[in-house]
Amino acid sequence: MIRLRGSSLPGEIEALSGQRVFDCNQCAKCTAGCPMSFAMDIQPNQMIRLVQLGQADRLLRSKAIWLCSSCETCAARCPMSVSVAEVVDALRQLSRERGMADRSTGAPQFHQAFLDSVARHGRAHELEAIGVYKAKTRRFFDDIGLGIRMFRQGKLSLLPHRIQDRDVIRRIIRQSSGSSKT
Amino acid sequence: MPAYSYFPGCSLSGTSKEYGASTVEVCRALGIELTELEDWNCCGATSGHSASREVADALGARNVLLATDMGLDLVAPCAACYNRTKRAANVLAEGDAARKQRIAELLGRPVREPVRVLHLLEVFSHEEVAERLGGRAMQPLPVSKVAAYYGCLLVRPPKETGFDDPENPQTMDRLLRLCGLETCDWYFKNECCGASHSIPQSSVVLTLVDRIIRNARAAGAEWIVTACPLCQVNLDTRQQVALGEEPLPVLYITQVLGLALGLSPKSLGVPEQLMIPRVPAGAAGGGR
Ligand code: SF4
Ligand code: SF4
């Protein structure tokens, strides 16, 4: 396959994801089975094409990379063994590192709040992660009823479960999760 | 007696504590010995691999190595924990040297050949356990037909999880039939419910959940049965119920197995109202 010159994006994505993006032949089977395609601004097969073409800006600012649900249907069905899911992960990483993540989806803020909580305690503390997420997105009143019901059932604990070895977890998350620009 | 190290994961000690409780109860009843990993950490779930492959590798590998130090194969009941943990074990077993080296650096410990990572359903399908289950007299259940819902992370990507047939898995169906239940043939057993977006994108998720619930109802399901805490919470709480319709209950496989084994609904976290047999739609003269 001919490699297109003039862009480092395909190389970067291949290095981060381990996927051979130039193997994609645009059959669009990934898009056909994608449960989130109806809500995406760029379809899964188009994402791979844009990576091949080095269109970093369009991809890294897209909503689609944050709307992917990581269901892996594309990866399971691609006849060329390309995983869009893993390419999307690499795009998310670059998008956050470059401060280009689309915040209107709420997903970058949610992931950040979740990981910050894990970095602090070694385990996820749902109440804290959701609280921080709501503060960042100002979506204070979403799911209030649901939250209260779960709290009453004893499913949302007030205090985090802390692990002993949490320094290691903090190091993992802080050293290699890009930035907290979200 | 089969013995495993046990990774409950964050959900089973919080938002899905009934899955945790019913897992422990059923394993006890079947003579499966579980020893909880000491000081386990969160697998990072979708947020972990969305940050970077390194984060996902290292968070997963730490738990795998804890189990490896114990010398016991690791079992996870949460499909997300299972997926991330098994993928980390695959990296430790056959990943390239640089990737393993980075894990060792981040964890500050040497890596080693890992033990196996199993989902709880694979443990129940273990020959010895399946025999024990098959030999038990099962208690009658209040419903007769259920839909086994597998979702995404058990079966995909197949080259990482290697769990059953990714397009038409049967592992859970077989267990449910052992409980005397009929299982539905339906189209959405491995379709995504969007759980990873349940909070930030709840409106999109309503669409995905609705398709799954409607297809299960059309196939005649009286309950949906899952083996994933994220799916259960999402299908249960994001379900839209039309006027005059009853919500479709979503139970864990361990709750159903436990009931069939004669354990008390309370110890399994099964709401009492689900134990009242419903009048089958056919009995009233109408079809479905
Ligand atoms: S299914 Fe594979 S080959 Fe086909 S368009 Fe998608 S990524 Fe490309
Ligand atoms: S992993 Fe993402 S891109 Fe692939 S099918 Fe699922 S939602 Fe679509």
Side-chain angles (χ1 to χ4, degrees):
Chain A
M1 188 88 213
I2 303 160
R3 307 249 150 183
L4 299 170
R5 287 165 191 275
S7 165
S8 60
L9 185 73
E12 250 176 310
I13 295 296
E14 292 198 342
L16 288 172
S17 69
Q19 301 303 306
R20 292 194 301 267
V21 292
F22 287 98
D23 284 358
C24 166
N25 59 22
Q26 288 296 304
C27 71
K29 198 169 179 186
C30 48
T31 299
C34 173
M36 299 299 287
S37 66
F38 74 95
M40 287 175 169
D41 50 354
I42 301 176
Q43 298 297 298
N45 67 302
Q46 296 174 323
M47 291 190 215
I48 304 296
R49 187 67 183 133
L50 291 173
V51 172
Q52 292 173 340
L53 294 171
Q55 297 276 311
D57 235 61
R58 279 183 65 189
L59 284 164
L60 301 185
R61 293 187 195 285
S62 72
K63 295 193 197 326
I65 60 171
W66 298 104
L67 287 174
C68 161
S69 67
S70 306
C71 74
E72 306 270 2
T73 307
C74 50
R77 295 181 185 166
C78 175
M80 300 306 291
S81 301
V82 176
S83 166
V84 180
E86 297 210 30
V87 169
V88 165
D89 280 346
L91 289 167
R92 286 178 181 167
Q93 184 180 347
L94 292 180
S95 164
R96 283 178 28 165
E97 281 172 7
R98 299 183 189 172
M100 292 160 89
D102 180 284
R103 297 167 63 85
S104 72
T105 58
Q109 299 95 309
F110 177 75
H111 292 315
Q112 189 67 47
F114 185 90
L115 277 188
D116 281 347
S117 176
V118 177
R120 260 194 293 278
H121 313 299
R123 294 184 189 166
H125 183 218
E126 284 95 350
L127 209 57
E128 174 190 71
I130 293 169
V132 170
Y133 162 77
K134 282 177 181 278
K136 283 187 182 194
T137 53
R138 316 216 140 253
R139 297 184 186 179
F140 293 106
F141 301 106
D142 290 8
D143 291 330
I144 286 284
L146 176 58
I148 292 172
R149 179 149 58 97
M150 289 206 143
F151 187 74
R152 288 225 182 100
Q153 292 170 339
K155 292 179 167 188
L156 287 174
S157 67
L158 282 174
L159 296 175
H161 299 278
R162 286 231 164 102
I163 74 166
Q164 293 297 316
D165 215 4
R166 52 186 185 272
D167 288 353
V168 173
I169 306 302
R170 185 170 311 125
R171 185 169 72 223
I172 294 169
I173 292 175
R174 297 274 148 83
Q175 273 189 16
S176 47
S177 66
S179 66
S180 22
K181 280 174 197 150
T182 40
Chain B
M1 169 146 98
Y4 300 92
S5 56
Y6 174 50
F7 174 33
C10 304
S11 295
L12 271 65
S13 36
T15 45
S16 305
K17 58 181 190 169
E18 67 273 37
Y19 193 20
S22 54
T23 295
V24 169
E25 290 294 323
V26 168
C27 286
R28 187 183 299 142
L30 291 173
I32 300 164
E33 197 182 313
L34 301 178
T35 310
E36 185 167 333
L37 286 184
E38 225 172 282
D39 214 38
W40 55 265
N41 57 273
C42 170
C43 73
T46 310
S47 302
H49 65 78
S50 299
S52 76
R53 194 160 72 166
E54 279 183 10
V55 169
D57 278 0
L59 291 178
R62 183 172 173 278
N63 291 324
V64 176
L65 292 168
L66 289 176
T68 306
D69 292 343
M70 291 166 76
L72 290 172
D73 286 347
L74 179 62
V75 50
C78 167
C81 293
Y82 160 74
N83 187 290
R84 294 322 313 178
T85 309
K86 182 147 189 186
R87 293 168 83 155
N90 294 345
V91 174
L92 293 175
E94 56 214 39
D96 60 69
R99 210 165 154 187
K100 282 194 260 193
Q101 174 60 31
R102 185 62 182 144
I103 292 175
E105 273 167 29
L106 284 168
L107 294 182
R109 63 159 291 173
V111 298
R112 37 191 297 217
E113 184 67 26
V115 289
R116 286 194 309 158
V117 174
L118 302 167
H119 187 267
L120 189 59
L121 289 173
E122 294 173 302
V123 170
F124 292 149
S125 310
H126 183 289
E127 218 176 306
E128 217 175 302
V129 178
E131 228 165 74
R132 217 170 291 177
L133 259 175
R136 293 281 283 258
M138 294 292 189
Q139 300 299 311
L141 295 168
V143 296
S144 54
K145 195 167 181 184
V146 298
Y149 177 69
Y150 296 79
C152 305
L153 296 172
L154 278 173
V155 290
R156 289 191 294 268
K159 67 171 187 257
E160 296 277 2
T161 67
F163 181 97
D164 206 339
D165 175 343
E167 298 295 359
N168 188 12
Q170 290 293 330
T171 308
M172 202 160 25
D173 291 71
R174 275 193 293 273
L175 287 168
L176 291 166
R177 286 197 289 268
L178 281 180
C179 299
L181 293 165
E182 191 186 339
T183 61
C184 301
D185 273 329
W186 64 308
Y187 299 117
F188 284 74
K189 63 179 359 182
N190 62 343
E191 275 289 319
C192 179
C193 73
S196 66
H197 285 312
S198 200
I199 294 171
Q201 286 289 324
S202 45
S203 60
V204 173
V205 170
L206 290 178
T207 308
L208 303 191
V209 169
D210 194 50
R211 297 193 307 183
I212 293 168
I213 298 288
R214 272 192 289 129
N215 190 246
R217 281 191 199 276
E222 295 167 273
W223 288 349
I224 291 184
V225 184
T226 92
C228 173
L230 307 174
C231 297
Q232 194 279 340
V233 170
N234 197 42
L235 291 178
D236 187 43
T237 62
R238 302 294 181 198
Q239 194 178 132
Q240 293 157 293
V241 181
L243 212 61
E245 230 174 27
E246 292 283 327
L248 188 56
V250 187
L251 281 86
Y252 291 106
I253 180 70
T254 42
Q255 292 179 311
V256 180
L257 276 176
L259 292 175
L261 289 168
L263 304 176
S264 79
K266 192 155 188 260
S267 71
L268 302 165
V270 177
E272 287 291 343
Q273 70 265 25
L274 291 189
M275 298 309 294
I276 305 163
R278 290 195 294 175
V279 185
R288 272 177 211 268

